[in-house]
Amino acid sequence: MKSALGWLGDTVPAWFSIEELGRPALIGRARLAKAPWVDGLHLYIFGDPRPRVREVVPGTDLPARCPERHIQFDKTFCLGLRYLTVRSGSDADNWWTQLHQFLRCQMVAERTRVWPPNQALDHGDAGKHHERALKLAKEAGLDDEYAAARLGEPSWITDPKLHLFDRMGQPINGRALCPRGCLRRARGRMVRALRADCDKRALIVKLAHTEKKRHVALEEYWQHVIAEGVSCCRTMRGCRLAEHEDEAARKAEETDEGY
């Protein structure tokens, strides 16, 4: 049976040149139009049946590890929430497409210091909650509202004072007003609908509960990374690692000034 690397070698795209292909790895250079890497990214692809990829020498052109740029603790690239299994030519095409999209996002990050917001799920276990929340928001017709809430804008989706669900995520307070501002006709005029009367109540409660789980999981992820002592590469704006390091430095300065 052909290996995953064999399938990748058979379907290699024009933007990637193979230097070496053997049992342990496929080594080559990715050269994308308008990329900032003059001689291309020197990449090491390995693993069967789910290939992974990193720089041949991590840290050469990209950070060796950077959560915000989706380069993981083992220095491999995070191409998606799940590793693709490559057992056919079409699987290999999909894998190369994922890598191409990842590298295009790296180009944007290199230029703007911001990862394209619609091109990634959250880190760690928060990713599965993020994926589910996006599906729920789409089903409820709340894509834009959820996107704004996730980025920190005030929203009923993230307002704990509304008490939309119990500890198990089940709907509560059905006699309270619908947080979406839904209206119903009563005695010849339009009035605010109750939560119990909202036809999307189950969806919006699931969305709010899932968003809370996403937020908690993401915070746990960052606390774990900070506890590991990972240093910020300083290539991205708004990085939690940079904020933590700057705060620690500020406190150290204040302590020194106190003596």
Side-chain angles (χ1 to χ4, degrees):
M1 180 182 293
K2 187 179 296 186
S3 70
L5 297 184
W7 285 113
L8 293 180
D10 287 349
T11 59
V12 63
W15 50 266
F16 192 92
S17 57
I18 295 177
E19 297 175 349
E20 180 181 333
L21 173 57
R23 182 173 294 276
L26 188 163
I27 299 173
R29 291 187 181 272
R31 296 181 174 89
L32 277 64
K34 300 181 181 180
W37 311 292
V38 177
D39 197 27
L41 287 177
H42 203 198
L43 301 181
Y44 183 94
I45 303 168
F46 64 102
D48 183 57
R50 291 178 285 276
R52 291 179 288 164
V53 55
R54 60 170 173 79
E55 283 192 276
V56 171
V57 181
T60 301
D61 289 300
L62 300 176
R65 180 182 182 186
C66 176
E68 290 296 87
R69 294 183 69 161
H70 300 273
I71 302 175
Q72 304 180 110
F73 71 95
D74 61 357
K75 303 176 184 178
T76 62
F77 302 163
C78 179
L79 303 186
L81 189 60
R82 302 169 188 85
Y83 290 113
L84 287 182
T85 297
V86 176
R87 279 290 178 247
S88 68
S90 61
D91 292 340
D93 284 336
N94 290 335
W95 191 92
W96 284 117
T97 297
Q98 275 197 341
L99 177 59
H100 187 265
Q101 183 62 39
F102 177 87
L103 297 181
R104 287 181 60 85
C105 288
Q106 290 292 350
M107 290 166 60
V108 173
E110 190 81 13
R111 185 176 67 253
T112 66
R113 301 183 67 206
V114 175
W115 191 269
N118 296 323
Q119 296 298 324
L121 297 173
D122 282 336
H123 310 302
D125 288 341
K128 62 183 180 183
H129 301 307
H130 186 189
E131 181 182 52
R132 183 165 188 257
L134 289 172
K135 291 180 180 178
L136 290 168
K138 183 177 181 62
E139 187 176 351
L142 298 169
D143 305 68
D144 293 340
E145 193 164 356
Y146 172 66
R150 178 178 166 268
L151 293 176
E153 294 187 19
S155 172
W156 60 264
I157 296 174
T158 53
D159 187 351
K161 296 178 182 179
L162 291 179
H163 301 294
L164 294 172
F165 49 84
D166 61 19
R167 292 183 178 179
M168 301 301 293
Q170 297 302 309
I172 57 175
N173 298 329
R175 301 301 297 172
L177 295 176
C178 175
R180 296 171 57 229
C182 291
L183 300 176
R184 64 181 178 87
R185 184 172 294 281
R187 298 179 182 179
R189 62 190 181 93
M190 301 304 292
V191 298
R192 287 280 301 276
L194 301 180
R195 295 179 188 178
D197 298 327
C198 177
D199 60 351
K200 293 185 178 180
R201 185 188 184 197
L203 268 179
I204 65 176
V205 168
K206 288 179 182 178
L207 173 59
H209 186 238
T210 301
E211 167 56 19
K212 180 180 179 180
K213 291 196 289 186
R214 182 204 68 82
H215 179 80
V216 170
L218 185 59
E219 183 62 27
E220 290 175 347
Y221 169 85
W222 281 114
Q223 292 304 319
H224 175 72
V225 172
I226 289 170
E228 284 185 313
V230 177
S231 297
C232 182
C233 63
R234 301 283 169 166
T235 67
M236 300 290 277
R237 287 187 283 172
C239 177
R240 284 286 299 275
L241 287 178
E243 292 173 1
H244 171 75
E245 290 175 359
D246 292 345
E247 178 65 13
R250 183 185 65 77
K251 289 181 178 179
E253 289 179 2
E254 290 177 351
T255 300
D256 292 340
E257 290 173 358
Y259 284 105

